[in-house]
Amino acid sequence: MTRFSAFAVIHDDGLAERGLPAHALHLVLPTLATWVIAIVLLGCPPVVGAAVAVTAAAGAAFVAMRIISPGGAGWRNATIATLGCVAAVAGVVAFHVHAVSAGPVAELAARRASTQVEAVVTDDPRQLTQRGGRFRRESFVVHARVESIGAGAARTAVRVPVVMLTSGEGWRSLSPSQRIVVQGRFGPADSGELLAAIVLVRGPPRVLSAPSWAQRVAGTLRSGLREAADVLPPLQRGLLPGLVVGDVSRMDGQVRADFKEAGLSHLTAVSGANLAIVAGAAVALARTAGLPLTVRAALAAFAMLAFAVVARPSPSVLRALLMGTAASVALGTGRSRDGVAALSATVLGLVLFDPALARSYGFALSVCATGGILVLAPRWRERLATRMPRWAAEAVAVPAAAQAAVTPVLVLMSGQLAPVAIPANLLAGPAIAPATLLGFLVALVAPLHMGLAHLLVRPAGLATGWIIEVAEHAARLPLATIPWPGGITGLVALAAAVTAIALALRRRRLRRVALAVAAGTVVAVAVAGPVMVRWPPEGWVLVACDVGQGDALLVAAGPGRAVVVDAGPDPVLMDRCLRSMAVREVPLVILTHPHFDHVGGLDGVFRGRRVGAVVVTPHRVAERESSRLSGDLARRRVVEWVARPGVSWRFGPSELTIIGPSVETFPAGDGEGAVVNNASVVVHVRWAAGTALLSGDIEAEAQAELLRQGFPPVDILKVPHHGSAGHDPAFFAAAGARSALISVGADNDYGHPAPSTLARLNGLGTRVHRTDLSGDLAVVTREGSLAVVSRGHHG
């Protein structure tokens, strides 16, 4: 049973009948109209919503009294229903918009004032990915409902939704339903969001209450699942809770990136598909036992309710539960084929209850995927069944229909197409249900008997491992993702392309031409593409990886080996660069200084590779990050060496020599950041064809100290501190480099590289190469000298 085809088990007689019944169509039209009107009105003042509500209500009354007659009785009823739903949603949106745009919280947001806030957490805190910066920050987005503002006699009771932007480990352990007190600064929310304000919070929350009983039960079960999964390999133990209950707190960053590239990200979001798997298993067992239809429906509903408790009753889980319950009701009433009507009614009710869902991409993806399975999959299955076994036809039709239905939403979201998603979902599908069901059982059993949970979790780990392999290989395929215009433009272009393809496929001759063109394109990309790009380039000796705002350098150390000098801020980008260069072993890592944009991606270096030793600065700067780094290396059982000037290593074609800083002292500079930067390890690299200077983030003071000590001129200079303005002009002149590499993030907040730095290098005749403009940069040997080639931006 796959994640999608579990719907077929709930609906005893198959996926759905061909065609839509009249009453289903009459539900679809009001649902679509309601959804569109909600999207439009969410960005409008309340008075506009009220006007639309009155107008639609009047229109419905006129049609009902036959003052206006749109056609037969069926269409008249559909028109009444549509206008009535539009009136209802317009009124609801107007009410919600007024509630969040007026009142004390909205006034605080307009003045960007600060005050004490008492709030109830409404969803799990979501950790933000840190892409740069000097120091490691644990930042979170927390959805909450403000209950009061102010303190003492100035306390005012309110009840409006907000989003809190927070930092610190104290937020990670919060659960929905907990009541907290914080001091926050209010700011206006984005237009179209049903939020009263954005609250910037500094410091940890003061917790006033424990989670509700349901949240406590969920926390115990989820904790048991994580503990049982500890016996699995790291990648599997991180993914299994995500597949089962959407808990991605331990999910590996590279696995997360592979899932996104392969179109498998939906697997870690709790949705109706999770509930369908659990309910489908319950129905299958009940059918085997010969239980009647109504009992099967009750068991399905009970199984979904139990799963919702394990997954934690958050808004997204409760929405999925409601959609799954609608399917169970359809089954229990003997109308299991009428899935579209059940889906429409559920969507209509949800949008009326919470209009903000109309602008939620996650909600749209869930609805479109389910609709594709109900409408497209049966027809595609029947056509494919004439050419292959029926089970294979269903296995292909279901993920293909789901992917086709969500493609327009993906184009609006990300401006790209993911053709690899269909085969990836097809291959991953057989492992999803076993992983989900076994993981669900593990969560239930673990608090009672951990030994039995360990037995159950191992086969779940095997299924999870297969999904990870599928995602990794799919993400590496050519044409895994295709750039496409985003927004409405992309949607129109997609509609035109689909129309053209459909017309071409209707005629045999055009069909052959289209297939020939498609085959030729695939061959050209798969064969000619790598030849044109030639990455990794032949004869490479040094690579500046495009890791955003940070430094990550690879020095050639022989076939499949490289010395890593700094690891950038992002483990995913670091691992991706190493994989692109086919590096399987890292004999040495040199971390120039303990700023996050140089050490944050270290996990990516260790992912699937053997690491020999790590060299760090001899000066204990940034004590907290240095201690964290030392503890991490100790846990990995990797030796940590202190850099000393004059120490050299030779690996393959490269000879690396430490030339700074001095062990005894170093120029401090102004401010904490400058102190840490000036403690950077500086490395001189020699090859048969030339030399390079890798200068970390040293600023003007440390550059002047190197000048006093003296260093040989080089062919390639890695410009210090991402090309900042804090440089000594004499240092650049003494380096005498023909080419300079600047590792910098596009549109960074620091103004790097500084115009003065670029002008200085250009004035010296040094050719500047930047990762923000050219992607990965490789220094290669060409006819006895060094040259720089770029990969170009590659996503």
Side-chain angles (χ1 to χ4, degrees), residues 197 272 348 612:
L348 184 62

Side-chain angles (χ1 to χ4, degrees), residues 429-503:
I432 296 169
T436 302
L437 291 173
L438 288 170
F440 180 48
L441 290 175
V442 168
L444 297 177
V445 169
L448 305 175
H449 195 292
M450 188 57 69
L452 180 58
H454 285 160
L455 292 177
L456 291 172
V457 83
R458 293 189 185 278
L462 293 176
T464 303
W466 169 252
I467 298 171
I468 292 172
E469 287 294 320
V470 170
E472 181 176 345
H473 287 83
R476 293 182 182 181
L477 290 175
L479 291 178
T481 56
I482 301 175
W484 194 267
I488 300 299
T489 303
L491 208 57
V492 172
L494 179 65
V498 170
T499 302
I501 293 172
L503 291 175

Side-chain angles (χ1 to χ4, degrees), residues 203-228:
R206 179 159 60 91
V207 179
L208 299 182
S209 68
S212 64
W213 71 267
Q215 297 292 345
R216 289 196 299 272
V217 171
T220 300
L221 296 175
R222 290 158 69 100
S223 176
L225 174 60
R226 288 194 296 268
E227 183 180 348

